[in-house]
Amino acid sequence: VPPRPGAATGTVIVLAQGGHRTMLNDRGANLLLTAGDVDAALAAAPGVRHLHLSAYTLLDDASRGAGLRALAAARERGLTVSVDAASAAPLRRVGGAAFLGWVRGADILFANADEAALLADAPAHVRHVVAKRGGQGAVWDGTIRVPARPAEVVDPTGAGDAFAAGLLAAWLGGAAPAEA
């Protein structure tokens, strides 16, 4: 993606106290992503097999077109697709039904408990849903439950992203859902 001179880099401030976190963000240059940027990036990576999209791209009016183009381009190229629901507050603003309409056909939708609760009343048109449950592990399609490995939690920031990366690497490598 080309640099955006004069545009601020996206910034997230994380305020953590005990087991609670609050994030304040300024998406900066991330809001300047265009459908043309998506097409150029995909053209430059002819061997790509999978698209993972953070829903932040879809949840903001300014970048939604790029996110929708990424999903459409992935379908056109026959890529597998995963989407992380990203955050309950902006998801609440756009509504679960609208969001699920945008991600229709995705292979995997990742959601934490708050995000899943917002999406529960809308029909899901994705192949698989992976519920991220923190210390209680994860659930694939409501049936395959895998416990979390015990660990001392210092700061959960980025844990969901790291989980998705590990699961996707295993799943794309051929692992069964419980193993992934």
Side-chain angles (χ1 to χ4, degrees), residues 48-140:
V48 69
R49 299 182 309 130
H50 182 82
L51 169 73
H52 179 69
L53 184 69
S54 168
Y56 282 117
T57 307
L58 297 169
L59 297 174
D60 195 296
D61 292 339
S63 57
R64 185 172 301 131
L68 293 172
R69 177 62 195 139
L71 293 169
R75 281 191 295 274
E76 292 164 10
R77 288 170 170 76
L79 308 180
T80 54
V81 173
S82 57
V83 178
D84 192 301
S87 180
L91 186 57
R92 189 175 295 110
R93 283 192 292 274
V94 301
F99 175 76
L100 289 172
W102 297 329
V103 303
R104 178 185 302 269
D107 294 283
I108 299 177
L109 174 63
F110 292 95
N112 66 25
D114 292 339
E115 297 153 2
L118 291 168
L119 300 172
D121 292 334
H125 301 289
V126 297
R127 285 184 55 214
H128 303 289
V129 175
V130 175
K132 303 177 291 183
R133 300 176 55 230
Q136 281 92 42
V139 180
W140 179 286

